[in-house]
Every structure is written in C-alpha cells, then in structure tokens.
Amino acid sequence: FNNSAARELVDSTIKDKDIDIEEDLPYQIPFPDNTYPFSKLITLQLYAKAEIAREHPICAIALADAAMQIADNMFSDYHRLESLFLIGQAREKSGNISKAIEVYKTIVNEYKKEYHPGSNIVFSKHLMFICLVNIGHLQKETEPKEAIKVFNEAFELMDKSSYIDIVRIKLNAIID
C-alpha cells in the first residue's frame, strides 16, 4: 500500500509543495467511475489499515470515514462498524486512548441493539468481542477494576454467541 498509485500521487504533490512526505495528510483514492461500492469500501478499509501501520492516524481516520459513508449508503451495518473500528484503532495508535475507548464502546453498544433480521450485523459478533478485549487492555493499567468488568462482560456475552465467535474471542484474549 505504501507504493500505491494514490499514495504516489499524493507524495508527488507534496514534494512539489516542499512538505515532508512522512506527514500525516489525508488523500482521496481516484476510483474509476464503474467501481462497485463494495470494492471501494474494502479498498478504503485496506488503505486505512496501511495508514494505521504507517502511524498516520489523520489519514487513516479520513479513509475509514469515507468507507463508513459508503457502508451507510449500502445499508451495511457490519461494514459501518468495521470502518468505525478502524477509526478506534487509529485513535489508539495515536495515543488518544480515551477517544479509542469511546469508539470501541460505541461499537459494543451498537451490537447490543436489536437489529432487523436482514441486517448483516448478525453475521458475527467477533468485532464486539475484539472491542471489549481492547477496552479491557486499554483500561487495565489505569482502571483495573473497570477492565475486569469489561472482560467479565465479554465472557458473559460469549455464552449467548456462536461457536465461531467464542473461538475468536478466546484467541484474541490469548494473543493480546
């Protein structure tokens, strides 16, 4: 992703303006007109992940926000929350822990809502569990009692989940 056409275009524009390439500047991806919305969404999410890895949270948030708008237009609750999760990761990576926790809590609360049976949010709740684990890990140093509550909530919710979700949450808890 660092060598992508969009990033190279942005980098060349920045060089012309005597700005440091390593600055965290948002950019837009010039999609062809006939690109399917889902392809745009996935591409924006992948670029956002790459920018998080590059430690460019402003850029990552802009890309994830663009993906979230596409997900809203597609009425895809799951992909909207996936994009919001990337915003939480960018906030976390930038050191804005309180904002990251706020985003993760928003995602958890969205999963707790009742959705119509046709919503794709019901495919899997692993994202909710990842958020709960992330909140717990982010709070364990500063608010250990609150972190324990969050971990307990994750395990209580696991009892009501599919086998796949249970395996994913256990793996995430072990890996973290």
Side-chain angles (χ1 to χ4, degrees), residues 12 18-19 23 28 30 35 37 62 78 87 92 102 105-106 109 149 151:
S12 65
D18 292 327
I19 300 173
E23 280 192 59
Q28 292 185 349
T35 306
Y78 180 76
I87 292 172
E92 183 179 344
E102 187 178 307
K105 284 182 178 181
T106 298
N109 290 335
K149 285 181 190 176
F151 287 131

Side-chain angles (χ1 to χ4, degrees), residues 3-4 9 17 19 22-23 42 44 46 51 57 60 92 95 97 102 105 114 118 129 136 146 157 160 163 172 175:
N3 296 322
S4 69
L9 176 63
K17 295 181 180 177
I19 300 173
E22 293 305 314
E23 280 192 59
I42 296 302
L44 288 164
L46 291 172
E51 294 300 339
E92 183 179 344
I97 303 304
E102 187 178 307
K105 284 182 178 181
E114 287 292 321
F129 293 119
E146 194 61 35
L157 289 169
K160 303 172 191 171
Y163 177 75
N172 279 315
I175 291 170

Side-chain angles (χ1 to χ4, degrees), residues 73-89:
N73 291 338
M74 292 173 39
F75 303 103
S76 176
D77 301 318
Y78 180 76
H79 291 99
R80 180 177 49 83
L81 294 180
E82 263 189 336
S83 299
L84 186 59
F85 178 73
L86 292 170
I87 292 172
Q89 286 185 312

Side-chain angles (χ1 to χ4, degrees), residues 41-60:
L41 177 127
I42 296 302
T43 301
L44 288 164
Q45 287 180 337
L46 291 172
Y47 274 65
K49 289 176 187 178
E51 294 300 339
I52 291 168
R54 286 183 69 167
E55 298 185 7
H56 290 162
I58 294 170
C59 189

Side-chain angles (χ1 to χ4, degrees), residues 111-130:
Y111 270 100
K112 290 179 179 178
K113 288 181 182 178
E114 287 292 321
Y115 279 89
H116 59 86
S119 174
N120 63 359
I121 199 170
V122 298
F123 288 159
S124 172
K125 293 187 176 187
H126 78 277
L127 191 58
M128 176 182 68
F129 293 119
I130 291 170

Side-chain angles (χ1 to χ4, degrees), residues 61-170:
I61 290 169
L63 291 165
D65 187 56
M68 205 161 60
Q69 290 174 20
I70 292 170
D72 281 340
N73 291 338
M74 292 173 39
F75 303 103
S76 176
D77 301 318
Y78 180 76
H79 291 99
R80 180 177 49 83
L81 294 180
E82 263 189 336
S83 299
L84 186 59
F85 178 73
L86 292 170
I87 292 172
Q89 286 185 312
R91 299 247 189 251
E92 183 179 344
K93 185 86 170 186
S94 70
N96 195 338
I97 303 304
S98 63
K99 285 284 188 187
I101 290 172
E102 187 178 307
V103 169
Y104 295 147
K105 284 182 178 181
T106 298
I107 294 168
V108 169
N109 290 335
E110 284 291 314
Y111 270 100
K112 290 179 179 178
K113 288 181 182 178
E114 287 292 321
Y115 279 89
H116 59 86
S119 174
N120 63 359
I121 199 170
V122 298
F123 288 159
S124 172
K125 293 187 176 187
H126 78 277
L127 191 58
M128 176 182 68
F129 293 119
I130 291 170
C131 288
L132 286 167
V133 169
N134 285 359
I135 292 167
H137 282 292
L138 292 173
Q139 291 179 327
K140 68 183 176 187
E141 298 297 323
T142 57
E143 302 175 67
K145 289 181 182 179
E146 194 61 35
I148 290 169
K149 285 181 190 176
V150 171
F151 287 131
N152 283 335
E153 180 182 4
F155 287 112
E156 286 171 14
L157 289 169
M158 257 197 297
D159 290 338
K160 303 172 191 171
S161 294
S162 70
Y163 177 75
I164 284 277
D165 286 334
I166 292 169
V167 170
R168 283 183 172 169
I169 185 63
K170 287 180 180 178

